[in-house]
Amino acid sequence: MYKKVLVLLFAGVLMGALDIAIIGPALPAIKSFFSLSDRELPWLFNIYVLMNLIGTPLMGKFSDLYGRRIIYVINLLLFALGSLLVIASHNFSLLLVGRGIQGFGAGGIFPVASAVIGDMVPKEKQGTALGWIGAVFGLAFIIGPVLGGILLPFGWRWIFIINIPFALIIIYYAWKLLPSVKKHVWHRPDWKGMILLIASLSLFAYGMNQIDTNRFWNSLLEPRIIASLIAAVLILPVFYFQQKSSVSPTFNLSLLTSKQLLITYLIAFTAGLGKISTVYLPSLAVNAFHITESNASFMLLPLVITLFIFSPVAGRLIDRTEVRIVLLAGIILLASGLFSLYFFALSKTSFYISSSVIGAGLSFLLGAPLRYIINNETTEESRASGQSILTLFTSTGQIFGAAFAGGLIYSLGGTVHSYLSVFAILGVICLPLLPVVLKLRKYKTNNVPGH
């Protein structure tokens, strides 16, 4: 039974991931249709990422409260509704609303899918299952641009039209296959906590997205940006104390105070920082090899293929060895790939090799290992919330890393050497994780906390 459920979960994750990868080829057509400026166009991504960030913890909590099936179906319905609004949009505002609803719905798909694996899949096979979910992201970024290129001649709206039948099929099977868990004790959702969390995440994401990396420090000190970031930080202690007094908190405080979980979140944040290197690798290729941005994106194909291949390998290794070994290997591979860009003469061959090693490291760090720990450190009542917090830390690391790396690159002159220096710095940041990982406990099949 659970194998059919896994196929269903993979399909849902693929749909959500595809909508990030598939939109790339359509951006010029969308820009022309709506007469967008270069400043407006990034909001097609930014609004999706922001609402995804907000949707993740809320949908995770609702999944723990009301059951996996109903929330997973609601996520898919929201994604389909957002797609319909994008298809029907004749102005940029409606287009952004549709993309935001898509992002909000997609925000719950991955953590709920990971929680379902923790609920239904035998422990000795959870690593493999989580690994294949990670591989789905690599698959999406392989086929997304190709599928987008095939559909684009029929009009840019077709890259969103395809979501509708796909979503409806997944909804049908989700309702049929996923368990509906009835909660014996009903608690009112923690609306105050959710509002505080949404406010903090929104202010943080807005402030970081508004930073101009070409003039990082001056931009950071602009009143609207610094005020947003300070307000985002100040809300957090208010959120924490509000959670302590709540009957049904958005996050059970054990999820925020457990030593094992805090170590896992720290690894996720740092891995998110390291992952941002994949964003700047195409820019490095453009500057180093004097090629177009389109061709530079294709140079990331070995990295994406490596992600697709090594994610399930990481999952299998967890089931056969120990999660700490997989994480240590991931840190070493990620740091090695980043260092090799700096220390070895840069050529297309060394670029491909280094980026592939980076991809292998990210496969061993993100996805299966960390989500496996969350499933083992939480109970069914808090599992999706734990998965959501993990996603938040990874996303926060990426958002922070994008601004940090971009600002540092341009402050160093924006040259090829600037990019290489920043990659080396990211590699150095990864190394302190090695002793941190050793502080994690060993996880055995017959010793699952919370069960």
Side-chain angles (χ1 to χ4, degrees), residues 268-329:
F269 179 83
T270 309
L273 284 175
K275 188 179 180 182
I276 209 62
S277 61
T278 63
V279 174
Y280 287 100
L281 280 171
S283 298
L284 169 63
V286 169
N287 284 273
F289 307 123
H290 308 291
I291 57 177
T292 64
E293 292 183 358
S294 176
N295 288 333
S297 296
F298 282 112
M299 288 187 70
L300 281 188
L301 194 57
L303 182 150
V304 174
I305 292 174
T306 305
L307 279 170
F308 176 66
I309 293 172
F310 277 82
S311 290
V313 171
R316 281 203 241 27
L317 286 174
I318 292 170
D319 291 336
R320 295 179 182 180
T321 58
E322 187 193 333
V323 70
R324 296 190 303 178
I325 294 173
V326 179
L327 287 172
L328 289 171

Side-chain angles (χ1 to χ4, degrees), residues 1-322:
M1 173 65 179
Y2 77 84
K3 292 182 179 179
K4 293 181 180 179
V5 171
L6 288 180
V7 173
L8 168 71
L9 298 177
F10 297 157
V13 171
L14 178 63
M15 184 181 69
L18 266 177
D19 224 63
I20 302 173
I22 200 174
I23 196 174
L27 288 178
I30 294 174
K31 180 180 180 181
S32 175
F33 184 88
F34 291 100
S35 301
L36 303 179
S37 67
D38 290 336
R39 189 72 176 174
E40 291 173 316
L41 192 63
W43 275 103
L44 286 174
F45 287 103
N46 293 344
I47 194 67
Y48 188 94
V49 171
L50 172 60
M51 296 306 294
N52 191 277
L53 200 63
I54 292 172
T56 294
L58 301 191
M59 289 302 181
K61 178 60 179 180
F62 288 145
S63 169
D64 289 335
L65 281 176
Y66 306 123
R68 313 291 184 222
R69 183 173 71 181
I70 184 64
I71 300 303
Y72 194 73
V73 167
I74 288 174
N75 288 327
L76 295 168
L77 285 171
L78 285 171
F79 188 85
L81 174 62
S83 299
L84 283 172
L85 288 177
V86 170
I87 295 165
S89 61
H90 289 281
N91 61 68
F92 187 50
S93 296
L94 186 58
L95 179 69
L96 287 183
V97 170
R99 284 291 286 170
I101 293 174
Q102 275 188 310
F104 188 82
I109 291 175
F110 193 39
V112 174
S114 300
V116 170
I117 288 174
D119 295 343
M120 296 189 65
V121 178
K123 182 180 180 296
E124 65 274 12
K125 296 181 180 179
Q126 282 187 26
T128 300
L130 290 166
W132 277 111
I133 280 197
V136 168
F137 278 89
L139 179 64
F141 282 88
I142 293 173
I143 67 176
V146 176
L147 184 59
I150 293 172
L151 294 173
L152 195 56
F154 299 98
W156 65 265
R157 298 181 195 275
W158 274 94
I159 69 173
F160 298 99
I161 291 174
I162 196 174
N163 289 336
I164 307 304
F166 198 14
L168 292 177
I169 292 171
I170 299 172
I171 288 169
Y172 171 78
Y173 283 102
W175 196 259
K176 186 176 180 181
L177 295 175
L178 290 183
S180 178
V181 180
K182 302 283 187 181
K183 300 299 177 185
H184 297 293
V185 179
W186 186 89
H187 291 294
R188 179 179 297 177
D190 175 28
W191 296 117
K192 290 181 181 179
M194 290 180 181
I195 290 170
L196 287 169
L197 184 61
I198 289 171
S200 181
L201 291 174
S202 300
L203 288 165
F204 172 74
Y206 172 80
M208 297 302 289
N209 281 323
Q210 293 303 300
I211 293 174
D212 184 351
T213 53
N214 290 300
R215 50 184 195 88
F216 180 80
W217 294 110
N218 290 334
S219 176
L220 181 62
L221 294 175
E222 289 182 8
R224 62 191 175 93
I225 294 177
I226 193 68
S228 296
L229 296 176
I230 291 174
V233 173
L234 291 178
I235 288 173
L236 291 178
V238 179
F239 171 74
Y240 177 81
F241 286 110
Q242 191 278 333
Q243 295 296 280
K244 291 185 70 173
S245 62
S246 176
V247 176
S248 178
T250 301
F251 295 146
N252 188 308
L253 288 183
S254 65
L255 298 176
L256 302 173
T257 56
S258 162
K259 177 183 175 181
Q260 295 296 304
L261 291 178
L262 289 176
I263 292 172
T264 307
Y265 302 150
L266 175 60
I267 296 170
F269 179 83
T270 309
L273 284 175
K275 188 179 180 182
I276 209 62
S277 61
T278 63
V279 174
Y280 287 100
L281 280 171
S283 298
L284 169 63
V286 169
N287 284 273
F289 307 123
H290 308 291
I291 57 177
T292 64
E293 292 183 358
S294 176
N295 288 333
S297 296
F298 282 112
M299 288 187 70
L300 281 188
L301 194 57
L303 182 150
V304 174
I305 292 174
T306 305
L307 279 170
F308 176 66
I309 293 172
F310 277 82
S311 290
V313 171
R316 281 203 241 27
L317 286 174
I318 292 170
D319 291 336
R320 295 179 182 180
T321 58
E322 187 193 333

